[in-house]
Amino acid sequence: MDIKRTLLWAVLTISGLMLYNNWLIYDGRQALFGPTPLISSGQAPGPAQASESLPPPASASQAPAATPPQPQKSADLPKAESLPTPQQAPVFNAANLASGEKHTIKNDVLELEINATGASVISAKLLKQLMPDQKPVALLQITPQNQYFVRSGLISAGSNELPNHTVSFAVSKSGRVDNKNFVTFVNERGGVRLEKTYYLVDGSYVVEVEHRITQLNQSSGGGLVLYNEIVRDSSAVSDSEFYSTFTGPALYTDKDKFIKISFSDIEKNKADIPKQIPAGEPGWIAMVQHYFASAWIPSDKSARDVYVGKVEQNLFRIGLQIPIAAIAAGSSYVESTRLFIGPQEETLLEKIAPGFDLIKDYGYLTVIAKPIFWLLEQIHSYVANWGWSIVILTLIIKLIFFPLSAASYKSMARMKEVQPRLMNLREQFKGDPQKLNRAMMDLYKQEKINPLGGCLPVVVQIPVFIALYWVLLSSVEMRNAPWILWIKDLSVPDPYFILPVIMAVSMFVQTRLNPTPPDPLQAKIMLWMPIIFSVMFFFFPAGLVLYWVVNNILSIAQQWQINQMFIKRPAK
């Protein structure tokens, strides 16, 4: 038995099944492996009903009171259904959002639109991240097709009549202080005044959100709880039917690190998350999609309860509850939280919060992928072109693995050298597989050939190549990044399919350099493989195809050189 070919076919079969599984997930069908994520059905969620649901109580909440702090049980906090929507508040639906009062605040990279209802951020445009039509990426938005927004407010065990995301806020002031643009919204209700101020620093994707809570009297009863939520529909974000990326809520704690939560698990009440981020420890919640993310990043001075849930059909949320210390009548308390809305640029994320760079998710191969991206970024700092950076990085990786690749190609060259003798043995022992295998093993031993010699070096390199695949697929830096001539954007497919065709040719040449499979059916399939893979790569980002093309060309050169060495050897 030719073990090398068996392993090769196993790898190709598994790869094909994984690609088909991803296509099923993308198409909203039942996946072959694991649960199928919930995909948007195309029906717009019900915003009016969604907005009326206030945050649920989170478990194990510790509410600090006046000095010394007194514990407050989370069970004392009202459930969402027990908090009626105030009659005077406008209904939070698409019609009101289109006609309601809105205020815009922006800097040179981010433009936010804040609705008076709840003082919620209902639109966020990333001014330097452009779509193919040259319009800014609209990360947060409320349209008939999609809903994605952030909101915050107050709840309490003693009073349902508090400023929350269902009531109308008024703009009290706006302007610029130092290098920040700001706008302040205010609402008074239930004996409490909530002033919500958004500060937007020049050149930053991080919004500083200040909640100033003033106790006008003692009528509010139980301790106040500030909640911060991110709400989103479950529409998957992917640029191709041949690969999929994660879309959904995520959170980070110092103990559990980065946790992704699928919409499907929330739908089935199977989301397994830590219920609380202890005081003094960093932690944050986020909503992640391909290339971009939004996140609430609270301070760590008090414990924060975490919750996820389904708000309405095809509408989900992740939130934090922050207990507020008891406030004396006429006094105020300020809780500052940061809100990130922007691209997953690794060097940018690292500076925001502990573990925040994990939002750019490389999966299980992060330990390999992060150094690869660091090297790619260093190369880019010199050549100032991501396309040429990919070419140089591929060359460096090929040089690093040169000894392993050489061993593999030498083994394949030896196999090709004895191929005629193997064919004779197959004819000689055509009806006796046991004798055939024994004769083949004797031949390998006589010629000092390891049947796995061409496969094992490749297996060692697979984790690196998979990590590089995810680096190129996940890096928002590739968006709108040109290479040469017709390649204007490395994050989208080659518009003229030139790179996939070159890749198909290079794969065909590689196939001709390898030993011909003795089985005629295998031989025909191997000849068709370049065409099959090139068709698949028609839909892959040009940056990924560029990597494979360069890698194939370098492999051909190396393999041809080694084959020439064996051709020139004197025949035995």
Side-chain angles (χ1 to χ4, degrees), residues 106-427:
K106 63 185 293 186
N107 59 15
D108 53 329
V109 298
L110 186 61
E111 179 180 305
L112 304 181
E113 188 174 79
I114 306 167
N115 193 276
T117 303
S120 302
V121 182
I122 62 169
S123 173
K125 296 179 180 178
L126 311 183
L127 303 179
K128 292 192 175 180
Q129 298 290 329
L130 303 180
M131 299 293 288
D133 59 2
Q134 298 304 303
K135 292 182 180 179
V137 169
L139 186 56
L140 305 187
Q141 58 179 324
I142 296 182
T143 68
Q145 292 76 33
N146 300 104
Q147 293 202 28
Y148 184 3
F149 51 91
V150 296
R151 61 192 185 188
S152 61
L154 293 173
I155 56 175
S156 169
S159 173
N160 294 333
E161 303 292 316
L162 290 171
N164 55 52
H165 67 262
T166 68
V167 302
S168 183
F169 282 70
V171 176
S172 62
K173 55 184 176 180
S174 63
R176 184 173 176 83
V177 55
D178 297 330
N179 62 336
K180 305 175 183 178
N181 296 319
F182 76 93
V183 57
T184 300
F185 295 83
V186 63
N187 178 275
E188 292 183 9
R189 217 158 163 268
V192 175
R193 180 169 66 240
L194 175 60
E195 296 175 271
K196 194 185 301 187
T197 304
Y198 293 90
Y199 293 98
L200 194 51
V201 181
D202 293 344
S204 177
Y205 291 101
V206 178
V207 186
E208 299 172 7
V209 185
E210 179 184 281
H211 295 88
R212 179 177 293 274
I213 306 163
T214 303
Q215 187 70 62
L216 302 178
N217 53 49
Q218 295 299 329
S219 63
S220 64
L224 300 174
V225 175
L226 173 69
Y227 63 89
N228 299 289
E229 287 187 347
I230 308 174
V231 184
R232 192 189 193 283
D233 64 75
S234 62
S235 302
V237 176
S238 184
D239 298 320
S240 172
E241 295 185 2
F242 288 87
Y243 61 86
S244 62
T245 54
F246 175 75
T247 301
L251 66 95
Y252 175 89
T253 68
D254 197 44
K255 177 183 177 181
D256 300 285
K257 304 307 178 186
F258 186 64
I259 301 172
K260 295 184 291 186
I261 309 148
S262 71
F263 292 125
S264 176
D265 283 345
I266 298 175
E267 175 87 11
K268 299 173 183 177
N269 293 319
K270 292 183 178 180
D272 184 16
I273 63 171
K275 300 302 182 183
Q276 188 182 78
I277 304 172
E281 293 186 7
W284 41 264
I285 59 172
M287 195 69 74
V288 182
Q289 68 182 60
H290 194 203
Y291 291 144
F292 306 106
S294 61
W296 280 110
I297 311 165
S299 64
D300 59 4
K301 59 185 178 182
S302 60
R304 293 130 288 166
D305 288 338
V306 183
Y307 60 93
V308 295
K310 183 179 180 180
V311 179
E312 193 50 54
Q313 179 64 33
N314 195 33
L315 200 63
F316 299 83
R317 67 181 170 188
I318 182 169
L320 289 169
Q321 288 182 346
I322 306 171
I324 304 300
I327 306 170
S331 299
S332 298
Y333 173 84
V334 176
E335 181 71 31
S336 296
T337 308
R338 291 180 293 162
L339 173 63
F340 170 81
I341 305 172
Q344 299 174 19
E345 295 178 3
E346 194 160 323
T347 53
L348 170 69
L349 301 177
E350 291 172 347
K351 301 173 183 177
I352 293 175
F356 204 64
D357 58 311
L358 296 175
I359 281 182
K360 185 179 181 182
D361 184 26
Y362 297 128
Y364 295 107
L365 294 174
T366 297
V367 67
I368 302 175
K370 287 183 74 68
I372 289 177
F373 179 79
W374 177 86
L375 179 57
L376 181 65
E377 200 170 35
Q378 297 304 308
I379 296 170
H380 180 265
S381 66
Y382 287 97
V383 301
N385 182 290
W386 287 108
W388 290 117
S389 300
I390 292 172
V391 173
I392 296 172
L393 176 67
T394 309
L395 178 60
I396 291 174
I397 292 177
K398 199 69 179 174
L399 289 174
I400 292 174
F401 284 107
F402 180 83
L404 286 175
S405 299
S408 175
Y409 295 144
K410 285 179 181 178
S411 178
M412 285 190 287
R414 293 295 307 277
M415 290 292 293
K416 189 172 184 178
E417 190 179 30
V418 299
Q419 193 69 23
R421 297 164 67 183
L422 287 173
M423 296 295 288
N424 290 336
L425 289 176
R426 289 180 183 276
E427 288 295 327

